[in-house]
Amino acid sequence: MSKPILFEKPRGVRDVLPPLAARKREVEKKIAKTFMRWGYEEIVTPTFEYAETFLNGAYRDNEDQMFKFIERSGKTVVLRPDMTAPIARVVASLLREHPVPIRLSYNTAIFRRQDTVSGREAEFTQSGVEMIGDESPDADAEVIALAVTALYEAGLEGFRLAIGQVNFLKGLFEEHVADVHVRGQLTDALAAKDFVTYERVVQSAVEEAAARDVLVQVPRLRGGIDVLETARLLTQSEQALAALDNIATIWHVLTLHNVVGEAQIDLGLMLGQHYYTGAVFEGYAPNVGFPVCSGGRYDDLLVKFGRPAPATGFMIGIERVLDVLEKSFPQDNQERYLVLYEEKDRYPVIGFTAFLRAKQFIVTSQRVDNVDVALEGQPSHVTVIAFKEGKLQTDDKLLTAMYADFGHAFRN
Amino acid sequence: MTIQALTVALSKGRIMDQTLALLRQAGLPVPDDLESSRKLILQSAGGEISFILAKPVDVPTYVEYGVADIGIVGKDVLAEADRDLYELLDLGIGRCKVSVAGLPEPPSSFAMPRVASKYPKIATDYFRQKGQQVEVIFLNGSVELAPLIGLAERIVDVVETGRTLQENGLVVHEDIMDVSTRLVANRMSFRLKSTAIDEFVARLRRVLAGEGVQ
């Protein structure tokens, strides 16, 4: 192992420099504002917690994805690999007496030990919501509509959310596949998005020809509301039919929220996490190959923390959103001003720049030894203005007018 | 044609001719000069599809990052790359196996068993699952050489006809996986370009079913 170079960083973490850091903050603010307007209240939980909290949640099978260390008591603690488990813990403990439904939101850094190739960082930012204590399809539709609204507010366009229902697949597999082991193989293949293996398992391990004909259609069950009618013909399973009814209702509520244009039904959608129990969804935007948001219903998680309650929610990957924005919509920056002055002009320059800031200008005052010399070599992304011999040296009409205003207001 | 603005990454080399034959049979607009040209990006005559000609190992990368919507590549490369992609279709061409091979009578016990391979991930996973402790040595080519010069007792490599192995006095000990050429799609493209991708897949499916391509 070679010693790190002085300025080297561990793999998977990164510095966010200007102007990207400001844009990131801006996107987070817009999303947080949207969550707030829908009545979701922000929550902050510790950066690290006992490993058990997460093993109780989605990380049962992904233990090695957690950054672990030993706390002074000798117990294992981890940097939070998601926000769902901490929120479930809080709702079941500190907010135990708080009546449901509870609507919470967060914006926070998430840490995962994973291969640092291909858009999977070790530290990244998630903004999301959890809606606890409402099992109605209206709650599912609410979080989907909120996801769409938040993505629009963040500045995205042309994105699409795929909606699935894990109970449809569960019911369908139980109806048509006798062997539990084979059901597991089919589920795993769909979760891995490996339709070739899925089809192969169907053809080789399912005995009835009729069942095979039904099952091979699953990956192609995607599109608009009419997909549900196609799917209805494939099953008599109560669970699967109830799941289709559930999606139909969610779709209807989404039309009232006016967001079906951004939605697509995909009954083969199987998100990796095993804890999902109902409608699930995942969002994609142009030019970025990775999902920008994902979420769904997880009615069995809260009970593990001692307060049984249905729940749904989603998270938005802030870096992914920024990636789309940088690629698709070049930012037009607000003009920035830099006023150079020498010692003898300190008054009025400092007062003038304060006046400009109060008028929403972005302006920096910089003392220099010699204004003429300092004018050379200034950065090009700011408008540089010299203040010399008691005068503002500029043809910028707006700034000249502002200086005149300033003179009238403060310097008789 | 409902196929618009699709970027397809093709694997150069072994499976290229068969891939192109299949695409043409499916009525997909493949540029005539694709084989003869030295360009790395080619447009179909109507501009519907851009073809990227890539080294096979790079195809999964292009598709995962979304610079190509669709890729055509062998299962061996996919398994080794372990990328998050949609695997949509088995094209049934480029059939071979990834196998463990070595000298006909390998030493009965290995003090420090070594396996040479172009597929370190496949090899490592396979021996781990079997509970065997081996050292996997990554080689870029001529893997058959390794047992002959004593670098490793065994190799993990693709075996098509077995001729190369035979000529070097090696035999297959175990098969790890069946390989054939797959059609993969980017996760974002699978959603946002679903009409074009569905049509692309449907056309190939018709050829595969109708002609009974094995």
Side-chain angles (χ1 to χ4, degrees), chain A residues 183-205:
Chain A
R183 282 182 215 157
Q185 285 181 319
L186 293 175
T187 308
D188 289 347
L190 286 183
K193 305 178 201 66
D194 183 351
F195 296 164
V196 173
T197 300
Y198 176 84
E199 223 176 301
R200 186 158 297 162
V201 173
V202 169
Q203 300 296 5
S204 64

Side-chain angles (χ1 to χ4, degrees), chain A residues 118 120 160 162 192-196 199-200 220 222 264 266 269 282 284-289 291, chain B residues 64-66 75 82-90 180 182 186-188 190-192 194 197-198 205:
Chain A
S118 61
R120 282 183 273 277
R160 193 176 289 172
K193 305 178 201 66
D194 183 351
F195 296 164
V196 173
E199 223 176 301
R200 186 158 297 162
R220 277 165 289 191
R222 59 190 188 122
Q264 182 193 40
D266 181 350
L269 180 68
E282 195 172 51
Y284 287 91
N287 298 326
V288 171
Chain B
E64 184 174 36
Y65 279 86
K75 180 66 183 174
D82 195 25
R83 301 283 186 168
D84 199 353
L85 310 165
Y86 276 96
E87 200 173 314
L88 298 179
L89 200 58
D90 184 345
S180 58
R182 306 291 162 90
N186 172 266
R187 301 161 73 185
M188 173 269 296
F190 184 71
R191 305 276 164 219
L192 298 185
S194 52
I197 289 179
D198 287 350
R205 247 181 213 287

Side-chain angles (χ1 to χ4, degrees), chain A residues 44-65:
Chain A
V44 177
T45 66
T47 304
F48 58 88
E49 300 204 29
Y50 290 129
E52 281 72 18
T53 301
F54 299 99
L55 294 174
N56 215 351
Y59 278 80
R60 198 185 53 213
D61 303 329
N62 297 320
E63 200 183 334
D64 52 358
Q65 275 198 12

Side-chain angles (χ1 to χ4, degrees), chain A residues 278-299:
Chain A
V280 292
F281 64 100
E282 195 172 51
Y284 287 91
N287 298 326
V288 171
F290 308 96
V292 290
C293 73
S294 71
R297 181 163 283 286
Y298 55 98
D299 291 347

Side-chain angles (χ1 to χ4, degrees), chain A residues 89-265:
Chain A
R89 175 183 58 71
V90 169
V91 167
S93 55
L94 295 172
L95 296 179
R96 192 168 190 95
E97 303 307 321
H98 199 290
V100 292
I102 298 174
R103 289 177 169 84
L104 295 170
S105 77
Y106 57 87
N107 169 245
T108 193
I110 299 289
F111 305 89
R112 283 186 203 156
R113 243 179 62 181
Q114 48 193 348
D115 291 341
T116 51
V117 293
S118 61
R120 282 183 273 277
E121 303 285 333
E123 178 182 9
F124 52 97
T125 316
Q126 286 187 348
S127 286
V129 302
E130 309 294 350
M131 142 81 119
I132 291 139
D134 186 343
E135 60 185 351
S136 73
D138 297 57
D140 294 287
E142 176 177 312
V143 296
I144 294 172
L146 177 53
V148 171
T149 311
L151 290 175
Y152 271 128
E153 289 292 328
L156 290 199
E157 279 167 31
F159 56 87
R160 193 176 289 172
L161 265 57
I163 305 169
Q165 230 292 5
V166 296
N167 288 329
F168 170 73
L169 294 172
K170 243 173 142 183
L172 192 73
F173 291 167
E174 273 168 30
E175 180 185 4
H176 295 292
V177 186
D179 186 345
V180 180
H181 179 64
V182 175
R183 282 182 215 157
Q185 285 181 319
L186 293 175
T187 308
D188 289 347
L190 286 183
K193 305 178 201 66
D194 183 351
F195 296 164
V196 173
T197 300
Y198 176 84
E199 223 176 301
R200 186 158 297 162
V201 173
V202 169
Q203 300 296 5
S204 64
V206 179
E207 282 176 19
E208 269 180 85
R212 287 201 297 269
D213 290 344
V214 165
L215 293 170
V216 290
Q217 294 186 49
V218 166
R220 277 165 289 191
L221 290 174
R222 59 190 188 122
I225 186 79
D226 42 316
V227 166
L228 298 180
E229 294 314 311
T230 316
R232 246 176 247 286
L233 303 175
L234 302 179
T235 181
Q236 261 135 48
S237 149
E238 268 176 43
Q239 190 181 23
L241 288 169
L244 294 175
D245 289 341
N246 174 252
I247 295 270
T249 313
I250 292 172
W251 191 267
H252 173 66
V253 183
L254 289 178
T255 56
L256 302 178
H257 281 291
N258 200 20
V259 295
V260 276
E262 292 76 10
Q264 182 193 40
I265 292 170

Side-chain angles (χ1 to χ4, degrees), chain B residues 30-192:
Chain B
V30 180
D32 295 332
D33 61 343
L34 199 138
E35 289 96 327
S36 56
S37 172
R38 280 168 175 267
K39 282 191 215 157
L40 296 176
I41 303 179
L42 290 106
Q43 294 262 325
S44 62
E48 308 95 337
I49 303 182
S50 304
F51 291 92
I52 300 178
L53 306 189
K55 223 179 142 174
V57 290
D58 293 333
V59 169
T61 311
Y62 288 176
V63 176
E64 184 174 36
Y65 279 86
V67 292
D69 302 306
I70 287 181
I72 292 177
V73 65
K75 180 66 183 174
D76 53 329
V77 177
L78 283 175
E80 181 63 29
D82 195 25
R83 301 283 186 168
D84 199 353
L85 310 165
Y86 276 96
E87 200 173 314
L88 298 179
L89 200 58
D90 184 345
L91 298 182
I93 55 175
R95 285 193 187 276
C96 56
K97 286 182 194 310
V98 174
S99 306
V100 184
L103 295 166
E105 278 164 41
S108 53
S109 69
F110 309 101
M112 284 281 286
R114 288 191 297 214
V115 175
S117 186
K118 268 191 288 192
Y119 303 95
K121 186 181 152 30
I122 295 175
T124 308
D125 288 354
Y126 177 73
F127 287 108
R128 209 180 116 216
Q129 272 171 21
K130 295 196 65 171
Q132 293 186 22
Q133 262 190 324
V134 301
E135 181 183 347
V136 175
I137 301 170
F138 174 71
L139 291 179
N140 256 314
S142 302
V143 180
E144 299 82 6
L145 204 52
L148 305 180
I149 55 176
L151 177 62
E153 299 83 26
R154 289 173 289 180
I155 62 170
V156 167
D157 206 6
V158 285
V159 180
E160 214 176 337
T161 58
R163 237 185 87 197
T164 319
L165 289 181
Q166 214 179 359
E167 284 177 4
N168 288 292
L170 303 178
V171 294
V172 170
H173 293 310
E174 299 144 71
D175 290 329
I176 298 181
M177 63 191 292
D178 288 317
V179 172
S180 58
T181 304
R182 306 291 162 90
L183 182 78
V184 294
N186 172 266
R187 301 161 73 185
M188 173 269 296
S189 310
F190 184 71
R191 305 276 164 219
L192 298 185

